[in-house]
Amino acid sequence: MQKVFNNKLAIFLFVFPGILLFALTFLVPIVLSGYYSFRDTLSPGTPSAFIGFANYTELLFHDSRFWLALRNAVLLGLGFILIQHPVAIFFAIMLDRLGGKAEKWFRTIFFIPCVISVVVISKMWLSLLDPTFGAFNKMLDSLGLGFLKHAWLGDSSTALVSMLFILIWAGFGWGLLFYYAGLKGIPDDMYEAASLDGASGFRLHWRITVPLLSPVITVQITLAMITALKQMETVFLTTNGGPGDSTQFLAVYLYNKAFSASQYGYANAISILFIVVCLLATYLSNKLTRSDATEF
């Protein structure tokens, strides 16, 4: 085995298939996307002209819909980080303390939304929030709160909040699962020692649980920002960015530009900026979470 590891040709033969697969599936498409982003291309294979940075100039300085989509994606990411994750940590702690059969049942119940098809989830929420026949408005009627009835996904004043709620709910199980697994890796001795030193309740978890979960939190925050930026399926199947552009997200906007408006070169410019934004979000989330972890 040592002879194999010392043989550079053998190492190359083992590594080359993976490098080739990575290049064909990731690097080549990115390079082609960058190439098309500098051209006035309506669809792949059609004649096009080189237009330089015109697509990027239009996108960054004249396209308000792009900035609206980016803002909505950032709001969703903040919703994941500030709402979904703290609640997921809280319920993970509760499940960890619960134990027994009840722990298994609740763990399964919380994870159910994550195994349901995106199409089913989208259609379910469209039905629940239907302004006329939806169960949510019917419930408000039965509670004597009929004056609160609303077209939750059909009104620009409430569509974004409703969409954020749906997306946070749909991904809650994944966050809970990660934090629950992280809690299982924390030795009970740490809690016992902290309890003997006088720590209890919120302080116990703030000083012990959160610092020891910091690697999981770092990964989760990074995934949350990337998920928010590339969010498409649920939005596309429920509102398709409407009403107006109130629920427009980056991936939905990119899809509509490429396949609905047939602006292929412009859509590729969006995809390149999309990659840049994802890399920047990943860098900032890693930097911030690591700096926070060093303070404990």
Side-chain angles (χ1 to χ4, degrees):
M1 184 61 71
Q2 189 63 35
K3 291 182 179 180
V4 174
F5 286 127
N6 290 332
N7 189 328
K8 293 183 179 180
L9 178 60
I11 294 174
F12 173 78
L13 291 176
F14 277 115
V15 174
F16 178 74
I19 295 176
L20 181 63
L21 181 64
F22 177 79
L24 292 176
T25 56
F26 289 94
L27 297 182
V28 172
I30 290 174
V31 172
L32 287 175
S33 184
Y35 168 77
Y36 283 121
S37 71
F38 292 107
R39 306 187 71 84
D40 184 19
T41 308
L42 296 179
S43 62
T46 59
S48 61
F50 180 78
I51 57 174
F53 289 93
N55 284 329
Y56 292 97
T57 303
E58 175 67 23
L59 187 62
L60 292 174
F61 300 106
H62 304 288
D63 193 345
S64 59
R65 296 180 69 192
F66 169 78
W67 292 106
L68 177 62
L70 179 60
R71 187 209 68 175
N72 290 343
V74 171
L75 288 177
L76 177 59
L78 292 176
F80 285 149
I81 295 169
L82 301 179
I83 300 174
Q84 185 190 77
H85 288 195
V87 175
I89 292 174
F90 173 78
F91 278 98
I93 293 171
M94 293 297 102
L95 283 178
D96 187 47
R97 287 187 171 188
L98 192 60
K101 291 184 178 180
E103 178 184 3
K104 296 179 181 179
W105 278 103
F106 279 107
R107 187 175 60 197
T108 303
I109 291 171
F110 284 129
F111 195 70
I112 284 176
C114 298
V115 298
I116 300 176
S117 167
V118 175
V119 177
V120 174
I121 288 177
S122 302
K123 297 303 180 183
M124 179 188 73
W125 280 105
L126 277 174
S127 177
L128 289 173
L129 298 177
D130 185 271
T132 305
F133 306 104
F136 190 71
N137 279 344
K138 293 288 186 182
M139 182 186 67
L140 292 176
D141 263 337
S142 64
L143 295 174
L145 300 174
F147 62 93
L148 293 177
K149 289 170 61 177
H150 204 74
W152 301 100
L153 289 172
D155 190 326
S156 58
S157 63
T158 56
L160 180 59
V161 175
S162 301
M163 182 56 62
L164 295 181
F165 174 82
I166 294 171
L167 295 171
I168 290 171
W169 172 87
F172 176 77
W174 284 113
L176 177 69
L177 180 66
F178 273 94
Y179 290 124
Y180 177 80
L183 283 170
K184 289 299 183 183
I186 300 177
D188 293 334
D189 297 344
M190 300 290 292
Y191 292 109
E192 293 174 3
S195 298
L196 291 174
D197 289 338
S200 61
F202 176 79
R203 186 179 179 186
L204 178 68
H205 292 294
W206 182 252
R207 293 297 182 183
I208 301 298
T209 305
V210 173
L212 292 178
L213 278 179
S214 58
V216 181
I217 294 173
T218 300
V219 172
Q220 281 292 89
I221 289 178
T222 302
L223 290 176
M225 291 306 303
I226 294 175
T227 302
L229 289 169
K230 69 183 187 68
Q231 182 57 237
M232 177 184 173
E233 296 91 344
T234 306
V235 178
F236 182 78
L237 292 169
T238 50
T239 64
N240 195 21
D245 290 316
S246 57
T247 59
Q248 192 71 255
F249 285 82
L250 282 176
V252 179
Y253 186 49
L254 190 157
Y255 176 88
N256 287 331
K257 281 293 183 182
F259 301 105
S260 298
S262 297
Q263 295 179 347
Y264 193 73
Y266 195 78
N268 276 282
I270 296 175
S271 69
I272 295 299
L273 287 179
F274 186 82
I275 294 172
V276 173
V277 171
C278 284
L279 292 174
L280 182 61
T282 302
Y283 171 77
L284 291 176
S285 62
N286 284 331
K287 187 176 180 63
L288 291 174
T289 50
R290 285 175 183 173
S291 64
D292 289 341
T294 58
E295 295 177 3
F296 290 101

